[in-house]
Amino acid sequence: MTHHPVTARDEDAPIADLIHPRAISDADRIRFEGYLAEIFTALGLDLSSQATADTPRRHLRALYEATIGYEGDPKLLTAFPTVCHGGANCELAQVVEGPIPYFSLCEHHALPFFGEAWVGYVAHEGIIGISKLTRLVRVVTRRFGVQEQMTHQIADELTRMMEPHGVAVYVEGHHLCTQMRGVRELHPKTRTTAFRGTYTEHAALRSEFFDVAGLRRPA
Ligand SMILES: [Zn+2]
Ligand SMILES: [Zn+2]
């Protein structure tokens, strides 16, 4: 078997490890809290009580923290070196990590979607631990986004960071924008997958990924 690690496509600009601090000035913050107060009041919330007086401030803060992924994560920069022994064994030996919980905001409604992600990879010359995978999932999901795109972004970022033989990502999500609006199905889950490299060539590797993760293969 030929022995080519997957490399990220050029158009996949790195999104995870760049640091982009978001500066919101005090003047802007006060203005934004004012907008939120106006919206909440118009919707019916009484902001004059002790319990609710700080709700606009808390809401803005919660949104800020829920989207902290835009700021990147400097601790994602390194993968630990390992030795690739080549050959079929190396290319078919996978590591599967998960479930990794995540919380995100859908870009269509700015409402939460959340669930768990599983990540598999076939290492070449780098390995990565569960804590870094957790950081990667967090930096990609703590944004306004779309579950399917985020699934592919996790796969592409991992490919870029590790140059592995292959990457598999499976994400399950509960979308509040759907569930809150009373769609009939009870707690429907959205399932998305992304495969790169050797996973795209070997069905057995994909099945093993779902088996090891303890998942039923999505339809
Ligand atoms: Zn939505
Ligand atoms: Zn290798």
Side-chain angles (χ1 to χ4, degrees):
M1 183 180 297
T2 51
H3 192 243
H4 301 296
V6 198
T7 47
R9 302 190 306 273
D10 284 339
E11 62 267 31
D12 296 325
I15 61 166
D17 55 9
L18 297 178
I19 308 307
H20 304 284
R22 295 172 298 173
I24 296 178
S25 69
D26 282 350
D28 278 347
R29 186 179 49 75
I30 288 162
R31 197 158 49 88
F32 298 161
E33 288 172 12
Y35 297 148
L36 289 168
E38 200 176 329
I39 292 164
F40 291 155
T41 300
L43 292 174
L45 180 62
D46 176 7
L47 293 179
S48 68
S49 83
Q50 209 181 358
T52 57
D54 270 347
T55 297
R57 184 186 58 78
R58 284 189 292 258
H59 186 78
L60 184 62
R61 183 78 211 166
L63 282 179
Y64 180 84
E65 282 165 9
T67 55
I68 201 89
Y70 286 113
E71 301 194 11
D73 185 340
K75 293 186 175 164
L76 270 174
L77 283 165
T78 53
F80 302 106
T82 185
V83 177
C84 174
H85 300 291
N89 285 344
C90 164
E91 292 189 35
L92 297 176
Q94 65 178 310
V95 175
V96 178
E97 301 277 14
I100 301 168
Y102 73 89
F103 295 87
S104 191
L105 294 172
C106 84
E107 69 177 19
H108 303 116
H109 305 89
L111 286 171
F113 67 95
F114 62 95
E116 292 172 331
W118 284 260
V119 177
Y121 64 87
V122 177
H124 176 50
E125 288 172 345
I127 54 170
I128 189 167
I130 180 71
S131 68
K132 287 227 165 120
L133 287 173
T134 303
R135 282 180 179 279
L136 174 62
V137 168
R138 196 176 297 162
V139 85
V140 169
T141 55
R142 289 206 180 166
R143 298 164 188 245
F144 296 101
V146 173
Q147 183 182 323
E148 187 177 22
Q149 260 170 34
M150 287 178 167
T151 306
H152 284 278
Q153 282 169 344
I154 293 166
D156 289 334
E157 284 299 300
L158 202 55
T159 298
R160 187 182 61 78
M161 289 163 60
M162 295 180 62
E163 300 189 2
H165 292 292
V167 169
V169 183
Y170 171 77
V171 179
E172 287 182 352
H174 289 281
H175 291 246
L176 291 191
C177 58
T178 317
Q179 297 187 7
M180 287 168 68
R181 288 183 303 176
V183 173
R184 288 273 186 275
E185 307 95 285
L186 211 56
H187 307 308
K189 264 190 240 175
T190 304
R191 301 175 169 93
T192 48
T193 56
F195 296 107
R196 299 288 183 273
T198 186
Y199 284 92
T200 63
E201 297 152 20
H202 299 280
L205 205 57
R206 296 194 295 275
S207 308
E208 188 190 66
F209 168 68
F210 289 114
D211 288 347
V212 172
L215 301 166
R216 290 186 57 194
R217 200 180 180 136

